[in-house]
Amino acid sequence: MSTAVVVYQSTPMIGKSKFPSGNILGMFKQKKLVSQLNQALEKKGSNWLAVLDDSIADIDLIAQRADAIICVPGLQKQFDFKDYPKEKVFYFDSLSYHELVLDNVIDFLELIKKRKG
């Protein structure tokens, strides 16, 4: 089983609290995204499992378990990937995220699987 980690917070900055603020987009949308994405992946018979990041955007911890990273809108310049492969990172656009249109992210995950294999 491959794991896709959904990141919804920016990388903590020096001088700012490291504790989660709930993100301006709200926690409920991320949970719903993970739930519906997993349902869609299961329906397709995919070997992917989406999980919500619980590390407060710590790429060192995320990279240990992530076969792919899925970012909510707004993280393109606010999340530090360090050496994580950029081709394994998916960024939701605002409309797809808010409407939970999952076709592009599912295609992205399946493409990673094909490259791997």
Side-chain angles (χ1 to χ4, degrees):
M1 181 76 57
S2 299
T3 302
V5 177
V6 176
V7 177
Y8 60 95
Q9 296 185 73
S10 59
T11 302
M13 305 296 247
I14 295 173
K16 289 196 172 198
S17 172
K18 189 169 177 156
F19 297 106
S21 64
N23 193 304
I24 56 170
L25 298 170
M27 185 66 162
F28 298 110
K29 183 62 88 171
Q30 288 85 2
K31 287 182 178 181
K32 189 173 183 179
L33 167 67
V34 169
S35 175
Q36 287 191 9
L37 181 55
N38 281 327
Q39 289 174 10
L41 290 166
E42 185 177 338
K43 189 175 181 180
K44 286 190 80 128
S46 181
N47 195 32
W48 282 95
L49 175 67
V51 297
L52 199 57
D53 172 39
D54 59 0
S55 72
I56 312 174
D58 183 336
I59 189 60
D60 296 324
L61 295 176
I62 294 169
Q64 292 175 17
R65 65 179 182 151
D67 297 298
I69 295 174
I70 300 169
C71 293
V72 302
L75 292 183
Q76 288 87 342
K77 295 184 175 154
Q78 296 180 9
F79 181 59
D80 183 8
F81 290 99
K82 296 184 181 176
D83 295 328
Y84 192 84
K86 305 289 186 240
E87 65 274 6
K88 292 184 176 184
V89 179
F90 179 86
Y91 295 99
F92 263 102
D93 63 71
S94 292
L95 183 60
S96 294
Y97 176 73
H98 288 288
E99 297 295 323
L100 292 176
V101 177
L102 303 174
D103 296 338
N104 288 340
V105 70
I106 291 171
D107 291 345
F108 171 79
L109 294 173
E110 293 303 316
L111 182 61
I112 289 175
K113 189 175 175 182
K114 285 179 187 175
R115 285 184 196 152
K116 204 176 182 182

